Amino acid sequence: MIEETMNTKILVAYASRYGSTREIADSVARTLEKAGYTVDCMNVMDVSDLSPYAAVVAGSPIYMGKWLVEAVDFVKRFSVELHEKPLAVFAVGYSMKDETDMIRRSASASMTEVRIYVRPQVEGLFAGKFEPEGMSRADLDIMKMAGAVPGDARDWSQLSRWAEALPSVLFSLKE
């Protein structure tokens, strides 16, 4: 049971281009809420203050091997505060559907720039989805060049397990 006297409010902040990462962030937030935490889930561009939060979870899709610029800007802007709070980060990439060592290393490398500004205690790498409808021509061309076949590779049970483990890892660091 969560102690009433401690601040247990968690921010789940995300960047998302076509909605897959937003849906993953929503799932993480719901899992944390089921565990008894108060959670705000919002786009990184809508976050103006981290002071109400005991911990932060931040995520971004991987585009061209990197987090989206607005997600990197978020960790840059709040780097001081993020060093003072427990932090988990996650990256979402459709290529993670084929989870080989090489793909996992490449997905992990997508957070290299993030690690310049913050030191996350927890990192997650998750497969995303490729849905051509609504995509920009440039992004669609990149996916086609990579030989991507449309589909949803998100593993909701893996995401749930990761989110369920977050409080014990993040809040155990403060004790």
Side-chain angles (χ1 to χ4, degrees):
M1 188 73 186
I2 299 169
E3 290 182 36
E4 293 295 323
T5 57
M6 66 182 276
N7 177 8
T8 58
K9 192 170 189 181
I10 299 172
L11 172 65
V12 178
Y14 64 87
S16 190
R17 191 169 280 171
Y18 298 110
S20 178
T21 304
R22 184 197 72 243
E23 291 168 354
I24 288 171
D26 286 342
S27 174
V28 169
R30 281 191 310 273
T31 300
L32 292 169
E33 286 172 341
K34 285 179 190 169
Y37 294 88
T38 302
V39 181
D40 288 337
C41 184
M42 64 179 75
N43 190 294
V44 293
M45 293 187 296
D46 297 330
V47 177
S48 60
D49 182 13
L50 296 185
S51 64
Y53 304 103
V56 176
V57 179
S60 175
I62 302 167
Y63 275 88
M64 301 300 289
K66 296 179 179 185
W67 268 29
L68 291 181
V69 74
E70 59 265 32
V72 175
D73 286 348
F74 169 81
V75 296
K76 276 188 211 178
R77 183 172 23 137
F78 293 110
S79 64
V80 171
E81 295 96 325
L82 292 171
H83 276 287
E84 298 169 355
K85 298 180 184 291
L87 173 65
V89 296
F90 66 92
V92 179
Y94 188 63
S95 64
M96 286 293 297
K97 70 183 179 3
D98 302 318
E99 196 176 331
T100 65
D101 285 340
M102 185 177 82
I103 288 172
R104 182 165 271 291
R105 280 193 304 275
S106 176
S108 179
S110 75
M111 292 187 270
T112 299
E113 188 175 8
V114 171
R115 294 184 198 110
I116 292 170
Y117 303 102
V118 293
R119 299 283 179 255
Q121 287 77 37
V122 181
E123 294 184 3
L125 301 172
F126 306 109
K129 72 177 179 180
F130 168 36
E131 201 169 84
E133 188 175 314
M135 287 184 78
S136 72
R137 171 57 54 201
D139 287 342
L140 193 54
D141 288 346
I142 290 167
M143 294 299 280
K144 285 182 180 179
M145 283 190 318
V149 176
D152 189 343
R154 294 173 295 180
D155 181 338
W156 296 106
S157 62
Q158 175 196 29
L159 285 158
S160 182
R161 286 189 305 275
W162 185 78
E164 287 167 358
L166 285 175
S168 63
V169 174
L170 293 176
F171 291 118
S172 70
L173 298 170
K174 296 183 86 174
E175 296 172 359

